[in-house]
Amino acid sequence: MADISKDQVKHVANLARLAITDEEAEKFTDQLSSIIKYAEQLNELDTDGVEPTTHVLDLKNVLRKDEPKEWITQEDALKNAPDKKGDYFRVPSILE
Amino acid sequence: MSLFDYSIKELEQKLHNKEITVTDLVNTSYQRIEEVDDQVKAFLTLDEKKARSAAKELDEATVEERQHPLFGIPSGIKDNIVTKALRTTCGSQFLRNFDDPLYNATVVEKLNEAKAVTIGKLNMDEFAMGSSNENSSFTPTRNPWNTEFVPGGSSGGSAAAVAAGEVLFSLGSDTGGSIRQPAAFCGVVGLKPTYGRVSRFGLVAFASSLDQIGPITRNVEDNARILEIISGHDKMDSTSADIDVPTYTEALTGDVKGLKIAVPKEYLAEGVSPDVKKSVLEALKVYESLGAQWEEVSLPHSKYAVATYYLLASSEASANLARFDGVRYGVRSENAENMLDMFKMSRSEGFGEEVKRRIMLGTYALSSGYYDAFYKKAQKVRTLIKNDFDKIFEEYDVIIGPTTPTPAFKIGEKVEDPLTMYANDILTIPVNLAGVPAISVPCGLSDKGLPIGLQIIGKYFDESAVYRTAHAFEQATDHHMKRPQLGGAN
C-alpha cells in the first residue's frame, strides 16, 4: 500500500464533509501516512478463511412492531436547533 | 476525613441512623468542588440548584421512601452521557450550547430511580477520543495526585472527580480503555463491563461495537453495587444483552483459594516500566498468599490490537459522527452560503484536531478500494484477538496484568505524536476488541508517587469473578486507602 497523497487527503476530507486548509491537509498527509503505515503490520498475519468479527455477542436481528408512540414533540425536536422557521429546521439554500 | 472516605454501605447506615443528611452529602460535593476544581478541572457543568433541591426532598422522605440502593449518593456523569435539560457537550465545541437535551440516557434514568443525586457533568477528551484529557476542547483535566500530570482519558474527569473526593462515584465510558486507564492513573477503581451488559441508549456513540458505560469508585464494593443498578436489558438498545443481572456484591467473599490466574507474558514485556512491573508482581504474590495460583500464558495477537482498534474505532466513528451536521442541534457556522458549505464549515469549526484526524482515518479505511485492505482485514484480526482470549478462558478464571504500561505522563508530553499516545492503550484495547469485562484497581505508587493500576480481565458476563478477585486483593492490601494531597481538607 502506497503512502497517502495530499490529493487523497483532500478527497477524503470532502467525503467526510470537513473543510480543511492547505496547511491542515499537509499535516494530515504526514500523520495519516504514518498511522496507515503502522496499520500495515496487520498484513503480516494470514487471515485467509478467518471470519470477520463485526460484533462480539451472538445477536440476531431484534425486531419490534412498527407502532407509533409518544416520544418527543415537534416543539421539543426544534428547541436545540441553530435555526428554525415555524415548524421546520431552516438551512441555507441547497441550489445555487 | 471526608464523608466520601466512607463506602456507600456505610453512608447508607449513617443516613438511616440520621447521623447525616443527604444535604450534608451534597454540601460535601460542592464544597470540595469549590476547594479543588480550579486545580483539577474535572467538571464542565454543575447542576447545583437541582441537586440541592433534590437533597432537600430526599431528606424529607419517609423510611419506606428511603429504601433505594443509592439513596442520596452524589454522583458525576461523563459528558457524553445524555442528561435531560442538563448541558451535554461530549467535551466538544460542537455541542458547547447543547443546553437542553430531550431525554435521559437509560443509565441516568436508573441512577435517578435508585435516588442517586447528579452533581454535574464531567470533563473528557472530545467525543471520547483520547488518552489524556488534553483533547477536551474546554480545558484539560489534571491529575489530582500531581496537577502537572494527565489524569488519563477519555473519562479523565470521571476518574479525577472521584480521586479528588468531589463525588462518591461517577460513570465513564470505555471504548479502548477510557474507564480503566484514567482509573489507573488516578488511583481509583474503574470497570468496563462485558459488551452488552449495560445499555448504551443515550451514550453519544463513538465506536458502537466497542463502547460500554461503567462505574468509577473508590472501592470494589461500591463499584459492584453501581453495576447492579445500571446493568440489564433495555428495549431502547438492541445490543444490550437479555441476560439476568447477578447480585454482584454477593460475589465479594474474599475467597480466591484455587482461583486460576493467567498472566500474559506480553503484558509484562518490554515497554512496561519497571515500577509497574514490580507492583504487578507484588500483587501476584498477594494472590499466591491467598491461595490462588498463576501461570504465564500468551496472547499472541495482542501486539496487533492497537492497529486493529484504530482502524475499527475510527471507521465506526466516521459514520457515527456524521450526525453532527449543524441542522438539528449543536453549532452552525455563520460563514456558509450554501448547505454543503454549512455542513463542512460547521464540522470544521466545531471539531478538534484529533476528532478530525480519526474521522479522516475512518473515512479513508471505509472508502472504495481500501475497505477490504483495512476495515475488513482489521475485523478478521479482531477474530484472532478474540480467539486468544477464548482459548485462555478455557483453562483459567481470570487474566491479570497491568492496566497501563506506565503511570501517568506529563501534560504536553505525548500530545504531538498520535502513535505514541495510541500505544498507551496497548493493554486495555484487546479487552474491548474481545468484548470481555475488566477492572482496574490501585496496586501501588510509582517512584514519582503516582498511582499504578492492576487490570483483572474476566470471561463474558462474569463480572462476579472480576469483582471477587479485585475485592480479595483490596481486602489484603491498603493501596485503595491512599489519597492524593490536594489543597483543602481531604
Side-chain angles (χ1 to χ4, degrees):
Chain A
M1 205 65 57
D3 274 356
I4 185 167
S5 70
K6 194 168 151 188
D7 280 346
Q8 273 177 302
V9 165
K10 287 181 169 173
H11 172 65
V12 170
N14 181 50
L15 292 176
R17 296 294 184 250
L18 290 169
I20 57 170
T21 63
D22 216 48
E23 201 181 313
E24 282 177 308
E26 201 82 53
K27 194 171 180 183
F28 281 138
T29 305
D30 286 350
Q31 289 178 335
L32 291 180
S33 290
S34 71
I35 294 170
I36 286 159
K37 205 168 153 215
Y38 176 74
E40 279 171 6
Q41 62 171 291
L42 300 188
N43 294 332
E44 293 167 13
L45 292 169
D46 180 4
T47 50
D48 282 352
V50 177
E51 282 295 312
T53 296
T54 52
H55 206 278
V56 290
L57 303 180
D58 186 24
L59 286 175
K60 304 282 178 286
N61 280 337
V62 180
L63 303 173
R64 61 167 169 75
K65 284 200 174 124
D66 188 17
E67 288 166 343
K69 58 169 199 159
E70 295 272 316
W71 179 228
I72 52 174
T73 63
Q74 195 166 29
E75 192 189 352
D76 278 348
L78 286 162
K79 71 182 177 186
N80 287 292
D83 196 7
K84 61 194 165 194
K85 186 179 184 186
D87 292 341
Y88 299 92
F89 295 106
R90 183 154 73 179
V91 295
S93 65
I94 294 169
L95 302 168
E96 294 294 317
Chain B
M1 187 164 172
S2 158
L3 282 178
F4 294 171
D5 288 326
Y6 294 102
S7 70
I8 293 173
K9 200 162 134 191
E10 288 166 332
L11 290 175
E12 186 177 50
Q13 197 58 45
K14 286 181 182 296
L15 284 166
H16 180 79
N17 297 344
K18 306 241 157 116
E19 287 169 52
I20 58 166
T21 63
V22 178
T23 300
D24 293 336
L25 290 172
V26 169
N27 281 344
T28 302
S29 264
Y30 288 113
Q31 209 176 328
R32 186 69 179 157
I33 289 168
E34 176 81 34
E35 278 169 11
V36 300
D37 211 55
D38 264 0
Q39 300 168 63
V40 179
K41 300 182 192 304
F43 280 91
L44 290 176
T45 309
L46 296 176
D47 201 16
E48 187 163 354
K49 209 173 144 193
K50 220 161 92 198
R52 288 193 183 281
S53 80
K56 219 172 142 192
E57 207 173 294
L58 293 176
D59 280 329
E60 284 160 15
T62 62
V63 176
E64 290 76 49
E65 288 166 344
R66 289 168 171 257
Q67 305 304 312
H68 292 279
L70 294 176
F71 185 85
I73 302 297
S75 66
I77 310 289
K78 188 178 181 181
D79 211 21
N80 59 349
I81 298 172
V82 179
T83 43
K84 188 175 182 174
L86 178 61
R87 187 171 80 135
T88 300
T89 70
C90 297
S92 179
Q93 290 301 318
F94 198 102
L95 294 171
R96 63 174 179 262
N97 59 4
F98 188 41
D99 295 329
D100 204 357
L102 303 180
Y103 59 88
N104 280 323
T106 298
V107 289
V108 174
E109 282 294 319
K110 289 186 173 214
L111 292 184
N112 287 347
E113 281 162 27
K115 300 294 179 204
V117 180
T118 300
I119 295 299
K121 300 298 291 289
L122 293 159
N123 205 353
M124 56 184 285
D125 286 298
E126 186 176 4
F127 289 108
M129 297 177 189
S131 313
S132 68
N133 250 57
E134 290 164 293
N135 295 338
S136 164
S137 78
F138 296 95
T139 181
T141 301
R142 289 164 182 269
N143 194 314
W145 291 79
N146 183 334
T147 51
E148 284 174 27
F149 285 76
V150 303
S154 64
S155 310
S158 299
V162 173
E166 295 173 303
V167 284
L168 203 73
F169 77 92
S170 65
L171 294 184
S173 67
D174 191 317
T175 306
S178 281
I179 290 174
R180 291 160 287 153
Q181 185 254 22
F185 281 9
C186 293
V188 291
V189 178
L191 177 105
K192 182 205 87 77
T194 308
Y195 183 84
R197 178 75 291 183
V198 177
S199 167
R200 293 182 297 112
F201 179 70
L203 172 67
V204 178
F206 160 16
S208 312
S209 79
L210 302 163
D211 298 341
Q212 267 293 286
I213 295 169
I216 297 178
T217 56
R218 278 184 163 180
N219 62 65
V220 174
E221 186 188 83
D222 285 358
N223 207 287
R225 193 171 174 124
I226 292 154
L227 188 68
E228 270 166 39
I229 291 155
I230 63 171
S231 291
H233 180 64
D234 177 13
K235 64 181 191 312
M236 302 302 275
D237 174 8
S238 59
T239 63
S240 65
D242 200 357
I243 294 174
D244 285 346
V245 180
T247 308
Y248 293 116
T249 41
E250 283 176 3
L252 311 180
T253 58
D255 182 8
V256 290
K257 213 166 279 167
L259 185 82
K260 291 180 80 179
I261 301 170
V263 179
K265 61 179 186 206
E266 293 82 3
Y267 275 48
L268 291 171
E270 205 184 330
V272 175
S273 73
D275 40 7
V276 169
K277 196 170 169 176
K278 184 167 158 265
S279 292
V280 171
L281 291 173
E282 278 169 13
L284 290 170
K285 284 211 185 90
V286 171
Y287 281 112
E288 276 175 18
S289 74
L290 295 171
Q293 37 184 297
W294 66 274
E295 280 173 347
E296 194 176 274
V297 298
S298 177
L299 289 169
H301 296 97
S302 58
K303 70 170 183 165
Y304 300 102
V306 174
T308 304
Y309 171 82
Y310 278 94
L311 289 172
L312 294 179
S314 301
S315 296
E316 293 185 24
S318 74
N320 277 325
L321 270 65
R323 63 169 57 88
F324 298 103
D325 55 9
V327 175
R328 293 151 299 153
Y329 45 76
V331 298
R332 176 184 296 185
S333 170
E334 288 171 6
N335 307 315
E337 290 180 0
N338 63 53
M339 180 107 137
L340 188 58
D341 279 353
M342 185 205 79
F343 293 150
K344 287 187 181 177
M345 293 167 85
S346 302
R347 289 162 65 77
S348 297
E349 290 166 25
F351 292 153
E353 192 177 311
E354 181 65 25
V355 173
K356 288 183 201 172
R357 186 159 44 237
R358 296 205 201 182
I359 291 175
M360 295 281 291
L361 175 64
T363 306
Y364 178 73
L366 290 175
S367 65
S368 158
Y370 298 98
Y371 179 88
D372 282 351
F374 290 116
Y375 185 68
K376 203 163 176 193
K377 180 81 185 181
Q379 284 189 323
K380 289 182 169 190
V381 179
R382 183 176 185 182
T383 304
L384 299 176
I385 291 166
K386 184 179 182 294
N387 292 348
D388 284 353
F389 280 94
D390 289 346
K391 208 173 138 200
I392 288 177
F393 282 130
E394 281 171 16
E395 283 183 60
Y396 298 89
D397 301 309
V398 292
I399 298 172
I400 289 184
T403 308
T404 58
T406 65
F409 44 90
K410 271 196 166 159
I411 291 173
E413 194 180 314
K414 297 189 178 180
V415 80
E416 277 308 310
D417 181 5
L419 281 176
T420 313
M421 188 69 97
Y422 296 172
N424 187 64
D425 300 330
I426 191 162
L427 306 178
T428 47
I429 279 174
V431 170
N432 298 77
L433 291 170
V436 290
I439 201 168
S440 180
V441 291
C443 71
L445 295 177
S446 73
D447 308 340
K448 289 178 187 155
L450 293 164
I452 294 170
L454 184 75
Q455 185 173 210
I456 302 162
I457 307 167
K459 300 174 186 175
Y460 291 97
F461 296 101
D462 197 6
E463 281 80 0
S464 291
V466 172
Y467 278 134
R468 183 184 305 116
T469 307
H471 177 256
F473 177 73
E474 198 181 74
Q475 293 298 298
T477 58
D478 64 355
H479 303 296
H480 67 292
M481 304 295 285
K482 300 206 170 79
R483 302 275 181 258
Q485 295 301 314
L486 276 164
N490 205 40

